[in-house]
Amino acid sequence: MERTSVGIILNGVTGRMGYRQHLVRSLLAIRDQGGVPARDGSRIWPELTLVGRDENRLAEIAERHGLSAYTTDLDAALADDAHQVYFDAQVTTAREKAIRAAIEAGKHVYTEKPLAEGFLASLELARLAAAKGVRNGVVQDKLFLPGLRKLKRLVDGGFFGRILSVRGEFGYWVFEGDWQAAQRPSWNYRAEDGGGITLDMFPHWHYVLEQIIAPVTAVTAVTATHIPERVDETGARYRATADDAAYGIFELAGGIIAQVNSSWAVRVHRDELVEFQVDGTHGSAVAGLRDCRIQHRSATPMPVWNPDLPATEPFRAQWQTVPDNGEHDNAFKVQWEAFLRHVVDDEPFPWDFLAGARGVQLAEAGLRSAREGRRVPIEEIPR
Ligand SMILES: NC(=O)c1ccc[n+]([C@@H]2O[C@H](COP(=O)([O-])OP(=O)(O)OC[C@H]3O[C@@H](n4cnc5c(N)ncnc54)[C@H](O)[C@@H]3O)[C@@H](O)[C@H]2O)c1
């Protein structure tokens, strides 16, 4: 079948996200399935050029996956007309500069979140991309997870009646790095290196809340650095300067209240690493990454508070599982396919830089709320 090749520069491919989710689970998986169907009957085919700082590691990854193009020279890659798309999964602090250069070179840009470290910088990238006329997008992977897709289906189908509240619980224990290796890179725990759970997770909560439930109108947050000292990849002790927990209350349009706890210093007593409970007048749901359970008002038990007796109801057993009703592919891959169709066929892609900037706006507002001990309204950003 005829191919429509799209040259993609992949920067940050030696990192956790760049390698596993974007290279292996998305772009190589797309090639394995023979590309993405284009409107003209051809298959959109990603041609990959790996970019990074360490040539040996790039060569090793390229060889492992039968790829031939890699370079440590981003400018040269950007100057090459064979590449139409720049993708960024570098550490957050390195992103803005690289994306500016990519826009300047006329590349379409797709990037990991957060779009930049600050809201104004993010808005500026959105403005520059629009002025240059390049397609742009930010990863919003959680929207494509089976559990949250099922939640969205419930909302769209009117299951909840009037939605009252959302309670989200995200987190797990990230080891300190001394007696057991930390399972996240150490830069996440240093503010000066773009770390912090608020900047990391509030952009996710922004699009999840806005696109599944309702737009966020205000935030009140308390942040903490529960573990003040950690041990890095080389075994050296360092001071954790970034927040490792954020306790947020988000006011949503329509009077809905969402509370989301995010923590890297919590042990999991849940079914999944993130879960959202949505309560509405007609029913409730608990959605995780994969699963979604519901309780309709007609099946709601009538618990009576009596601490003198053991629990009389098997509460968890009273919920019903929402069926998949279809295949759910890797969330990052689904969004990559949409971005490629956006580039080739001009298909709509609402998860653009402006959407990403609004996620950073919420993170910044959450940090300000915590710093100043007050509720921070979210200003609307006109399109
Ligand atoms: N969408 C998601 O669910 C999700 C999850 C985790 C991380 N992320 C985002 O992905 C990005 C990468 O995170 P990660 O966990 O893969 O990080 P990582 O540390 O594993 O990888 C970072 C990559 O950036 C490169 N890099 C470039 N300049 C660097 C510098 N000055 N110092 C250190 N590394 C540099 C590294 O070589 C590496 O390839 C971050 O922006 C993060 O916010 C997104």
Side-chain angles (χ1 to χ4, degrees):
M1 190 170 292
E2 208 179 310
R3 286 179 179 174
T4 300
S5 290
V6 176
I8 304 173
I9 300 167
L10 277 178
N11 197 3
V13 82
T14 57
R16 288 187 323 149
M17 299 310 294
Y19 180 70
R20 181 106 219 108
Q21 294 301 344
H22 294 286
L23 177 64
V24 176
R25 304 291 312 275
S26 298
L27 292 161
L28 292 176
I30 287 171
R31 286 162 59 120
D32 284 347
Q33 76 186 17
V36 177
R39 210 176 286 151
D40 65 2
S42 70
R43 308 281 295 191
I44 304 170
W45 185 259
E47 289 290 356
L48 308 177
T49 297
L50 312 183
V51 174
R53 297 171 302 164
D54 183 333
E55 186 156 1
N56 292 332
R57 292 184 65 196
L58 293 173
E60 199 259 315
I61 291 173
E63 161 136 28
R64 193 184 312 152
H65 296 289
L67 299 169
S68 54
Y70 59 87
T71 177
T72 56
D73 188 343
L74 175 61
D75 290 337
L78 289 174
D80 188 336
D81 287 341
H83 306 137
Q84 292 110 291
V85 172
Y86 171 75
F87 173 70
D88 193 296
Q90 297 186 94
V91 288
T92 307
T93 45
R95 180 159 303 138
E96 182 189 339
K97 181 166 173 257
I99 291 183
R100 275 176 182 271
I103 295 171
E104 183 58 36
K107 308 297 175 197
H108 305 303
V109 183
Y110 185 43
T111 179
E112 258 299 347
K113 43 55 62 180
L115 174 54
E117 282 180 274
F119 174 47
L120 286 181
S122 305
L123 265 189
E124 176 67 1
L125 291 180
R127 194 190 63 73
L128 288 172
K132 193 80 178 176
V134 296
R135 310 275 154 89
N136 52 91
V138 178
V139 171
Q140 299 197 342
D141 53 291
K142 309 293 176 268
L143 293 175
F144 305 92
L145 289 166
L148 292 179
R149 294 184 90 137
K150 286 181 257 188
L151 179 62
K152 171 117 173 71
R153 202 199 291 157
L154 292 171
V155 174
D156 292 348
F159 168 78
F160 293 102
R162 182 164 62 84
I163 295 179
L164 308 171
S165 65
V166 179
R167 277 179 299 131
E169 196 65 56
F170 162 82
Y172 48 90
W173 192 264
V174 176
F175 281 93
E176 299 88 328
D178 45 4
W179 68 291
Q180 291 192 52
Q183 69 272 40
R184 291 181 63 84
S186 60
W187 64 263
N188 283 281
Y189 304 91
R190 292 188 295 264
E192 61 277 22
D193 291 336
I197 201 165
T198 308
L199 183 60
D200 194 45
M201 297 315 294
F202 277 28
H204 287 299
W205 307 152
H206 179 264
Y207 65 72
V208 165
L209 291 170
E210 179 184 85
Q211 290 182 48
I212 299 180
I213 310 290
V216 183
T217 56
V219 59
T220 307
V222 175
T223 61
T225 305
H226 290 304
I227 308 291
E229 192 178 80
R230 291 178 174 268
V231 173
D232 73 12
E233 293 79 0
T234 67
R237 289 199 167 273
Y238 67 96
R239 208 161 71 76
T241 48
D243 46 308
D244 58 14
Y247 306 89
I249 301 176
F250 305 94
E251 294 168 46
L252 312 188
I256 302 167
I257 311 295
Q259 287 169 270
V260 185
N261 293 327
S262 314
S263 177
W264 288 317
V266 69
R267 295 186 176 85
V268 180
H269 186 74
R270 265 175 262 133
D271 294 324
E272 305 205 47
L273 294 191
V274 65
E275 284 183 346
F276 295 94
Q277 173 159 343
V278 180
D279 288 294
T281 50
H282 289 195
S284 298
V286 176
L289 305 172
R290 306 201 67 81
D291 289 332
C292 184
R293 282 155 294 156
I294 50 173
Q295 188 169 86
H296 190 254
R297 67 171 170 166
S298 58
T300 302
M302 192 184 289
V304 177
W305 177 261
N306 185 354
D308 298 332
L309 291 178
T312 49
E313 307 259 358
F315 293 113
R316 280 178 185 271
Q318 293 164 336
W319 293 66
Q320 199 185 342
T321 301
V322 178
D324 282 338
N325 289 355
E327 289 282 307
H328 294 284
D329 208 344
N330 176 283
F332 292 88
K333 175 168 172 267
V334 174
Q335 201 183 356
W336 259 110
E337 292 179 343
F339 188 73
L340 291 173
R341 286 194 303 266
H342 179 53
V343 166
V344 171
D345 280 336
D346 206 13
E347 296 264 319
F349 192 86
W351 314 286
D352 61 6
F353 276 10
L354 207 52
R358 295 195 353 270
V360 177
Q361 177 189 27
L362 183 65
E364 217 167 80
L367 289 169
R368 183 177 318 136
S369 166
R371 212 170 41 241
E372 298 176 6
R374 68 178 180 93
R375 169 183 178 276
V376 176
I378 305 298
E379 263 176 59
E380 237 179 273
I381 308 300
R383 281 233 155 228

